[in-house]
Structure formats: structure tokens, C-alpha cells
Amino acid sequence: MRKIHAAISGVYGYVPDYILTNQELETMVDTNDEWIRTRTGINERRILKGKEMGVSEIGVKVINGLLEKTNTSPDEIDLVICATVTGDMVFPDTANIVCDKVGIKNAFSFDINAACSGFLFAFTTGAQFITSGMCKKVIVLGMDKMSSIIDYEDRATCVIFGDGGGAVLLEPNEEEVGFIDAELKSNGVGRHYLHMKAGGSFKPASIETITAKEHYVYQDGKPVFKHAVRGMSSTLKTVMQRNNLSSENVHWVVPHQANMRIITAVANAADFPMEKVMVNIHKYGNTTAGTLPLCLWEWEPRLNKGDNILLTAFGGGFTWGTVYLKWAY
Ligand code: UT7
């Protein structure tokens, strides 16, 4: 019997219409276009505007687009996994809410919180449900509405993040394509450098936490930067060695889009020319769990069956890792 792989049979992405440019940010905080472009590589990012527009609205657009494109009925979906740190509510999981909104009724669904590595963790989890034979059609969604937890008076964070996301449909495949391998890591010591202080059980919301601006992203950028380069590069190399991959036989590297300088450092460390590295950070900034599926969605027309693709990410937790897949169509 041939081995069953979990293969991507479709990808879809969505970014909100509103474009927040570096020039507009210049009018909001003490920053400038030149600093943002040279230190991060970002020119603009998308923002989901409107009252009571939770991240599930991005999920609805993504899943409806994915179902239509892959000619799949909502009834056929067995499982939906949503990677996000900006769920509509603390509970229930946003995956549950999105399923209700798009009419997915026969699936079980849950969220995964691994911050910027969320899509890698969710994708690897979803793949296990396919290879075990438990599910036939799994949607893995990665998305964030970072604007809901960003302090637009804090120049250290507000220039970096944006809103958006994407999803893939996973199905069983016996042609040696799809999910092949993953190296995933976490270390809670990283919580000190990247977190949101209040709103959880540790420090529930209060007048004091709101006044102290503790419901926004806190990031100590420098250590995060160093750990990101180290973590992505080392897992990339581990996965490459384990699977006899080199910069020649890998077709694409899909790095988390956190900072252009991190992306180039990781590409250099693993000896990849930038032509093989997907980059769209200039347009969307860091959409946290959304960056990897947004890249796959944008590059889909250029991908070929059998292409070796490495996805790599680093984020809050700390969490990090690399996934190796072969493109299936
Ligand atoms: O996706 C999850 C993981 N997150 C990441 O991977 C992010 C990793 N970290 C980074 O990408 C970078 O550390 C940042 C982009 C966040 C910051 O870049 P940096 O080169 O580490 O800058 P810095 O924080 O060391 O600040 C350098 C200078 C400071 O001024 P002084 O003290 O040298 O006078 C900052 O106050 O740049 C200043 N600065 C700014 N200036 C203009 C910080 N933010 C800004 C800004 N505009 N937006």
C-alpha cells in the first residue's frame, strides 16, 4: 500500500482593502518612511476597519473563496484548524465562529495559538488527521487582525503589523506529494520578550490594565530579532539535512514576514538566493499567523507539482520551526 500524504489541494488568501501607508503612520507617531523601509522592509500594511469586524470576517472571506475555488461543499469539510492570536473572543474558538458563519456543519474545529508560527503548527496538526485516516478534508487557516491589539501611539510596534490571512485545503494523496517533514520548537522563556500583558487569567482586564495600556502587543525587538534568525535558520538546516535537501533542489523558501532583514539573514544562513525566497512584507507587513498562507496564495500560479517548498517561521512563545512539503498540483 502506498503511503498517504496530506497534500494541499487549494489555497486562498484575503487582505482588507484599507491600506495604511508609511506616510500615514508619519502623521500618527514619531516615525518616517525611510526608517520603516530600511529597518523592516515594509511600505504599507492592510487594516480591517469597521465596528464589530473581528478576525472571523477575514476567515469568512478566505474560506468562502477556498471552497468556491476548490469546488468543495461546506458539508464535505471534516476539520477546521485556525491559527490566530487575535480571535474574535477569548472563547469560544474563532474556528467555531467561522464554521458557523460559512455553513460548515459536519466538522469539528479549534484554534491553535502559536503566534507567528501558528500556521506551521496548525498545518502540521492538520496533516496528522489526514495521514491517520481520521479526516478526508481539512482546512488550515492562518489569520490575524493585529490592528486590534496594536497601540498606534507606540512606534516600536505599530509600523510592523497588519491584518490578513489565508487558508489551505488538505486532502489525502498517494503520489508522494504533500506534507513530508517538520521540525517544530517552543520555549516559554521567550514570553518575556513578546506578549500581551493583560486580558488573560494572569491579569484580567481592569481599569488599571487599560490605563496602563496592557492590552496591546509588547515586544522587545532586538532579542526577538536574534532568536528569530537563529531559530528559523537552525530548523531550516535540520529539515534540509534530514531530507537531503540543498539550496539547489529546494524550489521555494517561504519565510515568516516579520522583518526583511530577518528574511535575508535566514536566506543567507541556508545559502538560498533571494529569487527562491517568497517576500511580500513590503505590501502587508507582519500579519502574524497570516504571512505564510498569504505567500502561498500569491505565489500559487508559479508553483509546480513536485516543487520542494520549505516554510519557516518564528514568533511569540517563543515558537518556531520549519515544514517541508512537496507542492501537489
Ligand atoms: O513576528 C514575530 C517576531 N517578531 C520579530 O521577528 C520582530 C523582530 N524585531 C525586529 O524586527 C526589530 O527589532 C524592530 C523592527 C522591531 C526594531 O528594529 P531595530 O533595528 O531592532 O531597532 P531598535 O528597537 O533597536 O531601535 C533603534 C532606534 C531607537 O532609537 P535610538 O535609541 O537609537 O535613538 C528607536 O527608538 O530606532 C528607534 N525607533 C524608531 N525610529 C523611527 C524604533 N522604532 C522606530 C520607528 N521609527 N518606528
Side-chain angles (χ1 to χ4, degrees):
M1 215 174 75
R2 298 182 76 177
K3 192 171 177 223
I4 293 173
H5 287 273
I8 295 176
S9 54
V11 55
Y12 202 82
Y14 174 77
V15 288
D17 293 335
Y18 190 85
I19 299 174
L20 175 59
T21 61
N22 290 351
Q23 287 70 25
E24 186 176 352
L25 280 166
E26 284 176 356
T27 68
M28 297 158 67
V29 284
D30 180 16
T31 190
N32 58 80
D33 176 52
E34 214 248 326
W35 190 96
I36 304 172
R37 275 190 293 105
T38 53
R39 302 310 292 166
T40 71
I42 303 167
N43 298 344
E44 57 191 42
R45 63 293 290 144
R46 301 299 181 100
I47 304 294
L48 184 61
K49 296 263 185 183
K51 216 172 175 334
E52 297 193 355
M53 293 288 281
V55 74
S56 67
E57 293 300 321
I58 295 174
V60 167
K61 290 269 199 300
V62 168
I63 292 193
N64 280 337
L66 183 68
L67 292 175
E68 193 186 332
K69 179 179 168 182
T70 56
N71 206 13
T72 308
S73 152
D75 293 341
E76 295 174 66
I77 303 299
D78 303 311
L79 166 63
V80 175
I81 306 178
C82 173
T84 190
V85 293
T86 50
D88 279 21
M89 302 177 186
V90 172
F91 78 91
D93 277 359
T94 299
N96 310 154
I97 298 170
V98 175
C99 284
D100 177 51
K101 287 186 175 181
V102 301
I104 291 179
K105 293 190 170 64
N106 299 327
F108 68 109
S109 60
F110 59 87
D111 289 0
I112 280 185
N113 181 339
C116 297
S117 312
F119 188 76
L120 293 185
F121 283 43
F123 182 79
T124 305
T125 306
Q128 309 312 308
F129 282 94
I130 296 280
T131 47
S132 70
M134 192 168 161
C135 297
K136 290 278 177 271
K137 288 184 195 279
V138 174
I139 290 177
V140 179
L141 181 59
M143 58 178 186
D144 270 295
K145 184 188 172 183
M146 293 307 288
S147 62
S148 66
I149 55 169
I150 291 297
D151 175 5
Y152 285 94
E153 292 181 348
D154 174 17
R155 68 177 185 174
T157 51
C158 75
V159 302
I160 300 169
F161 293 97
D163 303 340
V168 295
L169 180 62
L170 289 180
E171 296 187 66
N173 187 300
E174 295 187 10
E175 297 175 287
E176 302 291 324
V177 291
F179 176 88
I180 309 284
D181 192 15
E183 178 82 356
L184 302 178
K185 301 274 185 188
S186 16
N187 183 350
V189 169
R191 71 188 182 282
H192 300 296
Y193 305 105
L194 183 51
H195 58 246
M196 191 166 94
K197 290 187 193 334
S201 56
F202 171 66
K203 215 184 228 196
S206 66
I207 299 291
E208 289 75 30
T209 63
I210 291 170
T211 312
K213 294 189 158 198
E214 290 180 341
H215 296 271
Y216 293 125
V217 170
Y218 166 84
Q219 176 169 254
D220 184 357
K222 281 232 186 297
V224 177
F225 187 108
K226 277 189 208 142
H227 281 92
V229 173
R230 216 176 293 152
M232 288 160 81
S233 308
S234 72
T235 53
L236 202 57
K237 284 180 192 165
T238 302
V239 170
M240 287 172 73
Q241 271 162 14
R242 206 155 57 205
N243 296 279
N244 296 319
L245 295 172
S246 68
S247 53
E248 272 94 60
N249 60 11
V250 169
H251 299 81
W252 295 102
V253 177
V254 193
H256 172 51
Q257 312 282 304
N259 186 317
M260 192 58 208
R261 290 181 293 135
I262 296 177
I263 296 173
T264 44
V266 171
N268 288 340
D271 227 4
F272 280 103
M274 286 310 286
E275 300 82 65
K276 287 190 172 190
V277 182
M278 296 186 192
V279 177
N280 59 15
I281 189 171
H282 52 290
K283 293 191 288 188
Y284 306 138
N286 183 349
T287 56
T288 302
T291 62
L292 299 178
L294 276 173
C295 282
L296 290 176
W297 171 56
E298 190 170 340
W299 263 261
E300 186 199 27
R302 296 163 67 183
L303 303 179
N304 296 303
K305 187 170 178 177
D307 278 0
N308 288 321
I309 300 179
L310 294 169
L311 302 114
T312 186
F314 184 94
F318 292 140
T319 55
W320 68 101
T322 295
V323 162
Y324 167 35
L325 64 89
K326 276 183 180 285
W327 198 249
Y329 58 95

